[in-house]
Amino acid sequence: MILSKYPYVIQKEILDNMEYSDLFMFSFVSKKMKKVIKSSQMDRFNSISSIVYECDRTDQSWVCISKKWIEIMRIVKHEEGGNGYFQLNVCGKTIDFRFLTEARIAPLQITYYHPHLAVSYHPFDRDFVIQSIQNYLLDFLGNSLKCNWRFEHIPINRQTSFHIPFIPKLQNVSFCVDFHLFGDRAKNGTTNFTEMEKLEKFFCSSPVLKSIKVSAGTSTAPFNPESKFYQTESVESEQDTLIFPAILSHFQGRQAFIRCHSCEIFNLIEFINRWKSGRALQKLEYLQIEIFEPELRPNQILNAVAAKQMNATSQPATHIVPKIYNWLYSKPNTDPIISHAYVVRETDSRVASVQIQDNTLSFGVWNKTEEEFLKMVS
């Protein structure tokens, strides 16, 4: 079939029914064909909010359309002596491609086999190949496209050594990692992570991350307070205690979601008082911490931080903000905070709503002074 001989209406109908991976492959036929695809699929491409490079311990990433989780291709290490390679020019770089069929586990843990386009790299030109693919995608799908490089470290068991992920040097890409930090299990049921030096080395050599999702036991060598871990924009953490990682003490980002098996109440009180003083957590816009034990007593905490109360007849405003990164693609926004209780920051009179229910403390910062806030809810 010579597609160029058909009228544009028929060309568009054919292209409308092609998969994204096929459109990507078809765009290499010629500059004219690439132009036809871009013009005919403009609405379709504009609906793509972001692209994710999903990488695991093999350091070989899938390139997918976020939310819909539609795979475009995979970036893999060149297999010496492998068959079926063909070369294409990508942004001035000649790159090897091939088609592969391999097992794939979807986000719902469903295993399937699907033939896909694979981009191949040699160890010495990995960064260059990935950058070329990134530049091509931006040109093909639109320069405003948001891109996330996501690494998931899922150990086979708790004794699996920590793997330092590969972080490429890419522009217009945000980096997200999912770490499971466990080690040997102690008699009291806790686990001690012993590879902190290796983990800190990773953070030192990496850019500040957009999001970290972490499951952590304990550690005798906690993060340095100045670690880039605490500079991450958004942290989702499930941890044994508040001591590791010490998010309430050292976090410098915007959003934090914590599930903690046990904590000391004074840690929660200290966190709110430190925010009130303006000494720390200055970028914070939302924090949620779910505690399994002990039971939280709202009045005890609110009285300890000298929380103010709106007039009982006032209808509290709902604090809700978009999540910086949504790992599960379920809820794009934070859980709403609807509370009469609030605290005020001393340095700029900024207001934060405080809500304690279902053994969960939610803390939402408003971009308003106390005077502006009370006018809004009056």
Side-chain angles (χ1 to χ4, degrees), residues 132-376:
S132 298
I133 292 297
Q134 167 72 3
N135 292 339
Y136 192 90
L137 283 173
L138 291 175
D139 178 63
F140 186 54
L141 299 177
N143 287 324
S144 62
L145 190 70
K146 295 181 180 179
C147 301
N148 297 302
W149 183 280
R150 190 173 92 172
F151 171 82
E152 291 190 64
H153 175 268
I154 302 178
I156 300 173
N157 53 55
R158 290 179 182 267
Q159 283 70 47
T160 303
S161 63
F162 177 74
H163 173 77
I164 296 180
F166 164 68
I167 298 293
K169 297 177 182 178
L170 292 175
Q171 296 179 345
N172 303 319
V173 176
S174 299
F175 298 96
C176 310
V177 296
D178 182 356
F179 286 143
H180 292 243
L181 308 180
F182 293 102
D184 297 329
R185 186 178 293 278
K187 292 182 179 180
N188 62 0
T190 62
T191 56
N192 183 31
F193 180 68
T194 59
E195 298 184 272
M196 183 57 70
E197 184 177 348
K198 186 186 293 187
L199 182 58
E200 284 282 28
K201 181 179 179 181
F202 162 73
F203 284 116
C204 287
S205 61
S206 303
V208 173
L209 302 176
K210 179 178 184 178
S211 179
I212 293 177
K213 187 171 183 283
V214 59
S215 299
T218 59
S219 176
T220 55
F223 287 106
N224 184 314
E226 301 302 321
S227 170
K228 286 184 182 178
F229 173 89
Y230 296 119
Q231 299 175 33
T232 306
E233 286 189 70
S234 174
V235 171
E236 294 186 29
S237 175
E238 183 166 348
Q239 54 197 83
D240 287 345
T241 70
L242 286 177
I243 298 174
F244 177 76
I247 296 172
L248 293 186
S249 300
H250 306 304
F251 188 56
Q252 302 171 41
R254 293 165 49 199
Q255 296 179 6
F257 308 82
I258 306 171
R259 299 183 71 208
C260 186
H261 291 276
S262 64
C263 81
E264 299 292 341
I265 299 300
F266 77 83
N267 290 135
L268 304 180
I269 296 172
E270 183 184 46
F271 148 68
I272 297 176
N273 283 332
R274 290 176 70 244
W275 181 88
K276 285 179 60 181
S277 71
R279 300 193 313 267
L281 301 148
Q282 295 180 358
K283 296 180 181 179
L284 185 67
E285 61 184 31
Y286 186 91
L287 181 140
Q288 183 184 77
I289 176 166
E290 180 182 356
I291 306 296
F292 289 90
E293 59 180 30
E295 181 180 354
L296 298 183
R297 293 181 171 84
N299 289 338
Q300 175 189 3
I301 297 174
L302 294 176
N303 290 336
V305 300
K308 297 185 177 184
Q309 293 285 339
M310 293 166 45
N311 190 306
T313 60
S314 300
Q315 175 61 42
T318 300
H319 182 283
I320 187 169
V321 293
K323 286 185 177 179
I324 291 173
Y325 189 76
N326 187 9
W327 282 92
L328 298 178
Y329 301 108
S330 54
K331 296 188 294 185
N333 299 320
T334 58
D335 291 336
I337 301 175
I338 306 174
S339 175
H340 283 86
Y342 69 94
V343 292
V344 181
R345 190 157 60 190
E346 298 170 2
T347 52
D348 57 5
S349 195
R350 183 74 63 86
V351 167
S353 293
V354 183
Q355 177 178 283
I356 304 172
Q357 62 181 29
D358 300 326
N359 236 41
T360 299
L361 185 150
S362 300
F363 190 87
V365 180
W366 294 89
N367 187 24
K368 295 181 181 298
T369 64
E370 183 177 18
E371 182 180 356
E372 294 167 339
F373 175 75
L374 293 177
K375 284 182 178 179
M376 177 181 69

Side-chain angles (χ1 to χ4, degrees), residues 10-63:
I10 297 178
Q11 290 180 8
K12 186 178 186 308
E13 184 68 23
I14 294 172
L15 295 172
D16 285 347
N17 287 278
M18 293 180 70
E19 300 289 342
Y20 282 99
S21 56
D22 295 328
L23 289 173
F24 176 77
M25 186 65 195
F26 209 31
S27 69
F28 288 103
V29 170
S30 66
K31 291 182 178 179
K32 182 178 180 180
M33 182 52 61
K34 180 181 177 182
K35 186 176 181 180
V36 169
I37 294 173
K38 289 176 64 175
S39 62
S40 68
Q41 302 301 300
M42 185 177 299
D43 291 341
R44 194 174 172 188
F45 289 170
N46 287 339
S47 68
I48 300 174
S49 59
S50 62
I51 290 290
V52 60
Y53 294 84
E54 185 203 6
C55 196
D56 56 19
R57 290 174 62 92
T58 66
D59 286 334
Q60 299 181 110
S61 62
W62 290 89
V63 184

